[in-house]
Amino acid sequence: MSRPETDLLDSLPAELSQQLKDRVDRALLEFIRPNSASQFAQEAPELAKFREAIAQNDSMDDREFLRIFREFVPTTNYEPYRPFIAKFFATPCKEADVKNMFAPGLPYFLAMSSMTSGKSVKTFLKYLPPSHLLQHPLYLALPPSEGTTLSPSSLKYSRILTIDCEDGQSKQVTVCSLSIGFLRMAMNWDVEHDNERLDLWLPGQTDPYAISSVKSYRAFFVLNALFALTDRGVTTIRFFFANVFVIFLQYIEDEWSLLIDCIEKGIIPDVENLGHLRAPLEKLFKPNSDRAAELREIGPPGIQGWAVRVWPDLTRFIGITGGPAAASVPKITHALGPSVFTQSPGYGSSEGGVAITYHKGDPNTDYKVVLVDVVTEFLDVHSNEPSEHVLSIHELVAGGHYEPVLTTRNGLWRYRMGDVVIVKGFAPEDGLPVISYLHRREGGIVMAFGTTCTESQLTNAIVSAANRWIGQIMDFTIVGDDRDTPITYGYLVEIGGEIGKDARMAIQQTFEDLMAANDEFRTAFWQGRARKPTIRLLKKGTFTEYRREKCDKTNISISQVKVPVVLSDQKFREWFLERVRIEL
């Protein structure tokens, strides 16, 4: 579909710049004034100079408070917060020990990071925001939609923490993904009453509540496919990571006969580990022979526009298509057809929501920074200034590459995200910057020859080469290939369908693309310190199995598992290499 033309400003007029500066100041004060009384702000060594400056200042008006923040609060990473968060995992956990830890009161839940890098899990406290913000797109786990939405929702949580309160009662707090926490927050669902909701439908969704509690990976996808195929009125498909939709389609294809037979007869298939969830699902699922006949005539996924034949009212697909998910875009667009509008859900992380989709640009890659959950400052990644030279929004330059730094409603102080974004320009209505994600700042493999290709360079090279020479990529990851010297980028790729007859040409094209994209790599090659990348193809279903393994190993939700562009986990590196079926 055609995209609207962007109307971004290349620079900020003086009046708009001042208005934006004032708006940022108000938002920043809204966060740091109450959070400055938190345990973290009062005890963290990193904020010692901030506390000292506050104590020595008799006049504490807003202007002076902001000056002290900007002058004395350094940038931070996760380590300063770790010992404070650990107090929630103590047994027993007393309210007095964790109250007002990062923000006033007790958190609603603890959000888990997705651990893409293979490092230990990070958790972030999430407090209940002001009630009027619960309807903001950043907090909406189930955005409104005409018709029904296909958006498989898991309520799987890692664990439940019990806080012993001062009044003799106890409070249970879940440790879960951000999307699950926001869903529970929006619906006011506590874990104590989960079993009482098994007969409910998630509002406007194709899946009943009971499916969100299914723990088996295969059962989760099969049951979501069953109820989604039965519902002809789907208007929106939403998968947080777009490439998970490819897995969903693969389950439909593999289980097509079973699914159609179940729809015709109104039965829940014999999938594993349903237990007490089977009865409510059987109660909600009715036979539909007409729909079964219609689906049989359409057939399983494969033809272009299959999705709009199954769901004639489908108009929109929402999902992240950047990073490793970019490899799945051709298959997704083939299944959806040209009439379905695609967009990203926004830009942020477990740390905080930074930006929402900018529909006046490319809704898959362009995001408008908002001042709702965080105040975002920036580090110029190409600057020679010290890392503490933090830029405010109104100081940015169109075309500049920056690392976002977050001060959040939930108590993070100048937290470095580690991403690199580009500023596309400024929204004319309010001056807020429109950004696009580029790559992780330290996301590449530093090879023996000392160069690092970025995630986006590595991704673009293999996606382009595969589309031309290998076939449709289902997923990929990259490891350091040290079987020869010097070490090089070792692509591990899973494709769908047959291998192209000239697949080996993909190695040369990938190499040429990296040479063109990265000056350091090109120099290292001509000096004999680098060699061509390698490409090895994996067995069918490898990445589906990987996601299942990650779910079981980390107890995070199915929807949160993402595949790293660069794999650092040594155990999973060997796991992938055992599944190589051919090398190009």
Side-chain angles (χ1 to χ4, degrees):
M1 296 180 66
S2 61
R3 306 297 186 192
E5 291 295 323
T6 182
D7 56 354
L8 296 178
L9 301 175
D10 292 330
S11 60
L12 289 172
E15 183 177 358
L16 193 55
S17 177
Q18 184 60 48
Q19 291 174 0
L20 184 58
K21 183 178 182 301
D22 293 342
R23 186 177 172 188
V24 168
D25 286 352
R26 289 193 299 271
L28 193 55
L29 282 168
E30 181 185 341
F31 295 167
I32 62 177
R33 276 286 194 191
N35 292 351
S36 63
S38 68
Q39 291 193 44
F40 177 79
Q42 292 299 311
E43 300 174 15
E46 289 74 14
L47 298 184
K49 292 183 178 180
F50 171 76
R51 292 191 297 271
E52 182 180 346
I54 293 290
Q56 293 176 353
N57 198 299
D58 295 331
S59 173
M60 198 48 59
D61 61 19
D62 289 347
R63 185 186 298 273
E64 183 66 9
F65 193 79
L66 288 170
R67 183 194 68 78
I68 292 174
F69 169 85
R70 291 187 167 110
E71 184 173 346
F72 294 105
V73 174
T75 58
T76 60
N77 57 24
Y78 187 71
E79 292 311 307
Y81 304 92
R82 192 184 295 276
F84 293 87
I85 293 171
K87 295 181 181 182
F88 284 87
F89 294 87
T91 305
C93 178
K94 302 291 187 181
E95 180 181 12
D97 295 333
V98 295
K99 190 175 181 179
N100 307 327
M101 185 62 72
F102 294 114
L106 293 173
Y108 194 91
F109 68 99
L110 274 67
M112 299 171 62
S113 66
S114 55
M115 298 173 292
T116 311
S117 64
K119 299 178 182 178
S120 59
V121 64
K122 298 175 184 177
T123 53
F124 300 92
L125 274 59
K126 296 296 176 180
Y127 296 82
L128 189 67
S131 57
H132 69 277
L133 291 180
L134 290 175
Q135 298 306 310
H136 191 278
L138 284 177
Y139 291 99
L140 282 179
L142 299 175
S145 172
E146 296 182 4
T148 52
T149 297
L150 164 54
S151 178
S153 301
S154 171
L155 291 181
K156 184 178 180 181
Y157 44 81
S158 174
R159 61 188 294 185
I160 299 175
L161 305 178
T162 300
I163 300 174
D164 297 331
C165 298
E166 297 168 355
D167 60 3
Q169 302 296 312
S170 63
K171 176 181 173 63
Q172 291 190 326
V173 178
T174 57
V175 182
C176 58
S177 73
L178 186 68
S179 58
I180 291 171
F182 279 171
L183 176 60
R184 288 186 174 276
M185 182 187 290
M187 304 303 295
N188 196 26
W189 284 341
D190 52 43
V191 292
E192 296 95 326
H193 298 93
D194 275 358
N195 287 336
E196 300 173 14
R197 291 185 283 268
L198 296 181
D199 290 339
L200 301 179
W201 287 88
L202 290 168
Q205 301 291 106
T206 59
D207 55 326
Y209 182 95
I211 298 182
S212 64
S213 298
V214 170
K215 295 183 178 180
S216 163
Y217 193 86
R218 173 177 174 268
F220 180 82
F221 279 101
V222 169
L223 291 171
N224 267 290
L226 181 69
F227 279 84
L229 289 171
T230 306
D231 189 339
R232 200 175 188 274
V234 171
T235 57
T236 302
I237 296 176
R238 178 186 174 93
F239 285 79
F240 190 71
F241 297 111
N243 49 347
V244 179
F245 179 55
V246 174
I247 298 174
F248 181 77
L249 292 174
Q250 190 62 57
Y251 272 104
I252 291 178
E253 184 175 341
D254 293 344
E255 307 286 354
W256 182 254
S257 297
L258 172 66
L259 292 167
I260 302 306
D261 189 54
C262 288
I263 292 171
E264 182 176 45
K265 298 176 181 177
I267 59 176
I268 297 298
D270 186 20
V271 289
E272 60 273 21
N273 300 325
L274 275 189
H276 70 288
L277 300 175
R278 176 173 290 279
L281 289 172
E282 289 177 339
K283 179 181 177 182
L284 295 170
F285 194 64
K286 307 299 180 184
N288 192 333
S289 57
D290 290 344
R291 180 61 172 164
E294 182 181 20
L295 292 170
R296 277 199 185 95
E297 184 176 346
I298 295 170
I303 62 172
Q304 183 178 20
W306 175 86
V308 291
R309 294 193 64 187
V310 172
W311 300 292
D313 298 326
L314 179 64
T315 58
R316 187 170 55 151
F317 178 88
I318 303 172
I320 294 174
T321 55
S328 300
V329 170
K331 185 172 180 64
I332 292 170
T333 54
H334 179 80
L336 294 174
S339 65
V340 178
F341 182 82
T342 64
Q343 69 173 80
S344 171
Y347 169 66
S349 63
S350 299
E351 291 90 326
V354 175
I356 59 175
T357 305
Y358 188 66
H359 289 280
K360 294 180 180 179
D362 184 333
N364 293 292
T365 60
D366 295 353
Y367 310 102
K368 179 181 174 181
V369 173
V370 291
L371 304 171
V372 176
D373 192 41
V374 308
V375 170
T376 308
E377 298 172 292
F378 297 85
L379 295 173
D380 186 342
V381 301
H382 294 146
S383 173
N384 293 322
E385 293 281 349
S387 62
E388 298 306 319
H389 185 64
V390 182
L391 302 173
S392 188
I393 285 176
H394 70 281
E395 299 176 291
L396 303 181
V397 176
H401 290 196
Y402 301 95
E403 177 186 352
V405 177
L406 312 183
T407 298
T408 75
R409 184 182 298 279
N410 294 288
L412 299 182
W413 295 68
R414 285 190 158 176
Y415 183 96
R416 295 181 62 168
M417 284 188 73
D419 288 348
V420 177
V421 301
I422 183 173
V423 174
K424 305 288 287 292
F426 303 89
E429 64 273 12
D430 53 20
L432 287 166
V434 172
I435 61 176
S436 289
Y437 171 84
L438 292 179
H439 51 78
R440 293 290 294 171
R441 189 162 187 177
E442 304 296 339
I445 302 176
V446 179
M447 293 301 178
F449 46 85
T451 70
T452 302
C453 289
T454 67
E455 287 184 354
S456 54
Q457 290 168 347
L458 294 166
T459 298
N460 292 340
I462 191 62
V463 170
S464 175
N467 288 343
R468 182 175 180 184
W469 301 110
I470 305 176
Q472 173 56 55
I473 292 186
M474 303 297 288
D475 256 317
F476 78 95
T477 191
I478 301 168
V479 298
D481 188 346
D482 55 3
R483 295 173 297 169
D484 198 356
T485 55
I487 190 173
T488 191
Y489 300 108
Y491 285 94
L492 303 177
V493 179
E494 180 184 341
I495 66 169
E498 298 298 319
I499 304 174
K501 63 178 181 179
D502 296 319
R504 279 192 55 81
M505 294 295 294
I507 299 173
Q508 181 65 23
Q509 183 179 329
T510 303
F511 165 68
E512 291 176 357
D513 285 354
L514 293 179
M515 290 279 281
N518 190 286
D519 292 340
E520 290 182 356
F521 181 81
R522 183 169 61 252
T523 299
F525 178 80
W526 290 120
Q527 292 177 347
R529 297 183 291 112
R531 62 185 173 98
K532 292 181 179 180
T534 61
I535 302 175
R536 285 170 278 186
L537 303 185
L538 302 170
K539 297 176 182 177
K540 179 181 178 181
T542 294
F543 284 94
T544 297
E545 188 178 349
Y546 167 78
R547 288 182 170 89
R548 185 188 300 116
E549 290 268 344
K550 287 283 283 187
C551 284
D552 294 342
K553 177 182 177 181
T554 61
N555 205 27
I556 63 175
S557 72
I558 293 167
S559 61
Q560 196 183 10
V561 178
K562 56 183 176 181
V563 179
V565 173
V566 176
L567 184 67
S568 59
D569 188 311
Q570 186 64 26
K571 179 180 177 180
F572 272 115
R573 179 184 186 275
E574 299 304 319
W575 185 91
F576 273 107
L577 292 176
E578 291 172 357
R579 287 155 176 80
V580 171
R581 65 184 178 98
I582 189 173
E583 180 162 4
L584 300 183

